[in-house]
Amino acid sequence: MAAPFSLLFDGVKKHQVTLPGQEEPWDIRNLLIWIKKNLLKERPELFLQGDSVRPGILVLINDADWELLGELDYQLQDQASVLFISTLHGG
């Protein structure tokens, strides 16, 4: 049975973060690396696969499906909302 999604993030369901400044604009690829280093507390393999999210995790950026926005290459804007929803359920 898969661990509840929020347990991967120490039971916290919502994070409001300020990303550190960097030369290149932040994109989803860099955000996922930052999340792995700073927010993901256990079992990263349940959230990430390679440099992306695992199949079965829906990603919404400002309420739009990331597949329509360029997925990993989408450049984040100030005040962006990124939502990860697990469509997988344990038995």
Side-chain angles (χ1 to χ4, degrees):
M1 176 171 34
F5 203 53
S6 65
L7 290 181
L8 304 177
F9 296 92
D10 230 9
V12 179
K13 290 185 178 186
K14 184 175 182 177
H15 293 271
Q16 191 163 355
V17 300
T18 300
L19 298 171
Q22 62 179 29
E23 285 187 29
E24 297 294 318
W26 279 91
D27 58 21
I28 297 296
R29 180 178 284 106
N30 289 326
L31 175 65
L32 291 175
I33 293 167
W34 186 89
I35 287 173
K36 182 178 180 181
K37 289 180 183 175
N38 294 280
L39 298 179
L40 200 52
K41 299 301 180 188
E42 58 182 75
R43 306 209 41 205
E45 70 276 6
L46 295 179
F47 182 68
L48 299 169
Q49 182 173 305
D51 66 348
S52 189
V53 293
R54 285 185 58 83
I57 296 177
L58 177 64
V59 182
L60 299 178
I61 302 169
N62 300 323
D63 298 324
D65 189 331
W66 77 323
E67 292 179 357
L68 303 174
L69 301 172
E71 299 184 354
L72 294 171
D73 296 322
Y74 177 78
Q75 291 188 357
L76 294 170
Q77 308 299 316
D78 279 348
Q79 305 300 313
S81 170
V82 182
L83 180 64
F84 300 97
I85 301 171
S86 176
T87 62
L88 306 175
H89 304 281

